[in-house]
Amino acid sequence: MASATLLPAAANLKLKEALAGLSPMPEIVAGDAGIVEVARHPDAETVVTGIVGCAGLKPTVAAIEAGKDIALANKETLIAGGPYVLPLAKKHGCHILPADSEHSAIFQCIQGLPEGGLRRIILTASGGAFRDWPVEKLKDVKPADALKHPNWSMGRKITVDSATLMNKGLEVIEAHYLFGADYDNIDIVIHPQSIIHSMVETQDSSVLAQLGWPDMRLPILYTLSWPDRVPTSEITWPRLDFIKMGDLTFREPNRDKYPSMDLSYAAGRAGGTMTGVLSAANEQAVEMFLDDKISYLDICRVIESTCDRHRNDLVVAPSLEDIVHFDQWARVYAAEVASKLSTVSV
């Protein structure tokens, strides 16, 4: 039977009432335990993990322990849990397949590449809402400004991450874990048109790219159909028209505009629990920015202070309990830092 999970108890009860008398009656589970049960359901072959934050880590671990392949649609599974999750997946013979556009692009480009053939990963970024803003104007940013993404239609948190370029910093860490590339061999380039979703450079200096309209359906489809390619309709899946597409342009990210880049590379090189702390602090800071409790520029200040404080407590080879503990600690500490900042958005 099918399983469903709803976190609010009231909604769960309402669902049961709505389905009363249905035959066969689906199994209905709720809460964190229910999510874990769905993740490891015996009928599932591949589990799509899309729960934001460390809340998605435990069900992902449960799915891996049950031998499921993982279609990875949340960043925290590897950013926070990489040191624990990757050995676990290897132990159980599970594939971790990226479902976001950039890592799917890299994954597609390396199909057929011999071992040791990858030299460099080039992650493309739209540049977010403030791509064309002068740095001096960022002190005046309001939440509504940060939510105006030029290319993609996404949730509020990821749209702010795109504006700060933290989404790309987190993707650098994720690419390191997914593809084994050293941080010195992972670059970020601003690509305003969002047509090239990422590139790889091979050892012989060839550069392979995956192109397509900005549409999340394709990476999700490929994750679920790999290693096959599923035919799609030209009506619902428009082909890339190179004439209509026009020019493709690139620029180097401005590190003064995007301090999240240096924070992310530093956290990645520190490794262990530092990357999870970076992610959790960012999540807390973005939430407080969207609630008008801190300014836009305070987001990276909060993250930097939280990561600095964690240095003495860093766990290089963390357990699952360590990962969850420092995720929760980082959120509390980041909130404390934010409350003390003098530059508060009004």
Side-chain angles (χ1 to χ4, degrees):
M1 290 186 182
S3 297
T5 178
L6 294 166
L7 286 176
N12 186 44
L13 180 60
K14 185 177 293 187
L15 177 61
K16 287 183 178 180
E17 292 173 349
L19 297 178
L22 186 65
S23 182
M25 182 67 176
E27 177 187 357
I28 300 173
V29 291
D32 293 341
I35 295 174
V36 167
E37 288 305 311
V38 170
R40 63 187 180 198
H41 195 280
D43 291 344
E45 296 179 2
T46 300
V47 175
V48 180
T49 62
I51 300 174
V52 175
C54 251
L57 189 54
K58 288 185 177 180
T60 302
V61 167
I64 292 172
E65 290 176 338
K68 315 296 184 185
D69 286 340
I70 304 298
L72 193 62
N74 80 329
K75 299 183 185 303
E76 291 78 10
T77 293
L78 288 186
I79 292 165
Y84 179 84
V85 168
L86 289 178
L88 188 69
K90 184 176 182 179
K91 174 184 175 182
H92 291 278
C94 300
H95 294 106
I96 297 182
L97 308 170
D100 65 321
S101 61
E102 294 81 4
H103 297 99
S104 175
I106 297 164
F107 184 61
Q108 292 179 61
C109 287
I110 65 173
Q111 296 303 300
L113 199 66
E115 186 175 353
L118 177 65
R119 176 190 285 175
R120 182 167 60 120
I121 289 173
I122 305 159
L123 291 164
T124 55
S126 69
F130 309 126
R131 178 180 64 212
D132 301 316
W133 284 38
V135 174
E136 298 74 23
K137 192 179 176 183
L138 296 181
K139 68 182 187 309
D140 302 319
V141 164
K142 303 298 181 187
D145 300 319
L147 294 173
K148 296 175 183 176
H149 196 282
N151 299 343
W152 295 89
S153 177
M154 306 180 293
R156 285 160 57 87
K157 190 264 184 185
I158 187 61
T159 303
V160 175
D161 282 352
S162 179
T164 63
L165 217 69
M166 179 56 81
N167 69 323
K168 216 52 53 177
L170 296 175
E171 286 169 13
V172 166
I173 297 168
E174 194 175 1
H176 166 76
Y177 282 125
L178 275 171
F179 307 112
D182 187 88
Y183 286 104
D184 291 338
N185 296 324
I186 306 174
D187 295 338
I188 298 171
V189 62
I190 301 294
H191 171 47
Q193 293 80 20
S194 295
I195 295 295
I196 295 179
H197 299 302
S198 276
M199 298 170 273
V200 301
E201 181 182 40
T202 61
Q203 292 293 353
D204 59 5
S205 300
S206 288
V207 175
L208 309 177
Q210 189 267 326
L211 288 73
W213 297 120
D215 188 337
M216 283 302 302
R217 294 179 301 168
L218 178 57
I220 294 170
L221 174 66
Y222 186 66
T223 299
L224 295 175
S225 64
W226 177 85
D228 298 320
R229 292 282 185 174
V230 175
T232 57
S233 166
E234 293 184 42
I235 299 174
T236 54
W237 297 70
R239 291 185 178 184
L240 185 63
D241 185 327
F242 283 83
I243 305 303
K244 186 183 298 184
M245 178 182 67
D247 296 335
L248 300 179
T249 60
F250 308 90
R251 66 179 81 159
E252 183 179 2
N254 182 337
R255 285 183 135 79
D256 292 330
K257 181 182 289 188
Y258 303 116
S260 61
M261 286 180 58
D262 290 335
L263 293 174
S264 299
Y265 276 96
R269 290 187 172 103
T273 49
M274 185 62 79
T275 52
V277 165
L278 172 90
S279 177
N282 173 66
E283 196 171 326
Q284 182 65 40
V286 169
E287 180 181 335
M288 296 182 77
F289 165 67
L290 288 171
D291 289 340
D292 281 319
K293 294 180 179 177
I294 61 173
S295 73
Y296 176 78
L297 294 179
D298 284 339
I299 294 174
C300 283
R301 293 171 184 150
V302 168
I303 298 166
E304 183 175 15
S305 295
T306 306
C307 289
D308 284 346
R309 174 62 182 81
H310 182 58
R311 293 190 189 281
N312 292 334
D313 299 321
L314 173 68
V315 179
V316 176
S319 65
L320 183 59
E321 291 72 23
D322 291 329
I323 293 166
V324 173
H325 167 75
F326 284 111
D327 173 89
Q328 295 171 346
W329 169 85
R331 294 170 193 276
V332 172
Y333 189 83
E336 292 173 355
V337 171
S339 68
K340 296 174 183 176
L341 288 172
S342 58
T343 52
V344 178
S345 183
V346 295

